[in-house]
Amino acid sequence: MLRTNGIPSSKIIDTKINPEVHQTDEAIKLKEACQQFESILWSKLWKDMKQSAMSISGADQARPYKQMEDLSLEMASDDLVSSSGGAGLWKMLYDSMIGKVAADQEATQRRQADEEANGLDIQA
């Protein structure tokens, strides 16, 4: 099997998205939203796992610092996703949705070009 940068070629999605699309405000907002989603997902998962473990052991009775523990899990999740890219879920979400951003941008450019060619006023 052909490999590219250590990834089997069957796992590589060939997209025809203009690289400039990734620098647009919409793409940057999409990336941030996807990263936040992954961070929230990990945080929720870890909190639930910790809660389950503590309820099984019976240590869940007196936890005066529960909010601080939860906050530390949220901060760890944020750091994991922002510094190392997390598990990559945000990237899969981003890749699956960036095509829509590119298509919207392309449609807007095409509409503007058509309006200019027809001599119509451009109203955004």
Side-chain angles (χ1 to χ4, degrees), residues 5-122:
N5 294 334
I7 301 171
S9 62
S10 62
K11 302 290 183 191
I12 297 173
I13 299 172
D14 183 26
T15 59
K16 307 234 188 279
I17 296 174
N18 185 346
E20 293 175 1
V21 170
H22 299 287
Q23 304 304 318
T24 63
D25 289 338
E26 293 85 9
I28 292 169
K29 288 177 186 176
L30 175 62
K31 178 182 175 184
E32 290 171 357
C34 291
Q35 287 176 329
Q36 288 173 354
F37 174 79
E38 182 174 357
S39 175
I40 292 168
L41 180 70
W42 280 117
S43 177
K44 176 71 173 143
L45 179 70
W46 288 339
K47 285 179 191 177
D48 288 351
M49 287 174 25
K50 184 176 181 184
Q51 181 66 32
S52 294
M54 293 199 135
S55 65
I56 290 170
S57 70
D60 196 32
Q61 307 307 330
R63 289 183 56 208
Y65 299 108
K66 181 183 182 315
Q67 282 101 5
M68 294 300 292
E69 292 169 359
D70 290 347
L71 179 62
S72 67
L73 287 173
E74 291 170 13
M75 291 173 66
S77 298
D78 288 344
D79 187 55
L80 173 72
V81 172
S82 65
S83 66
S84 67
L89 177 61
W90 77 265
K91 183 70 171 138
M92 290 188 297
L93 288 170
Y94 176 83
D95 288 345
S96 69
M97 292 188 273
I98 192 65
K100 173 75 170 126
V101 172
D104 289 347
Q105 183 181 21
E106 204 173 287
T108 300
Q109 290 172 348
R110 199 173 308 125
R111 180 182 50 82
Q112 289 174 347
D114 288 346
E115 288 175 353
E116 287 176 5
N118 293 329
L120 300 174
D121 291 339
I122 298 174

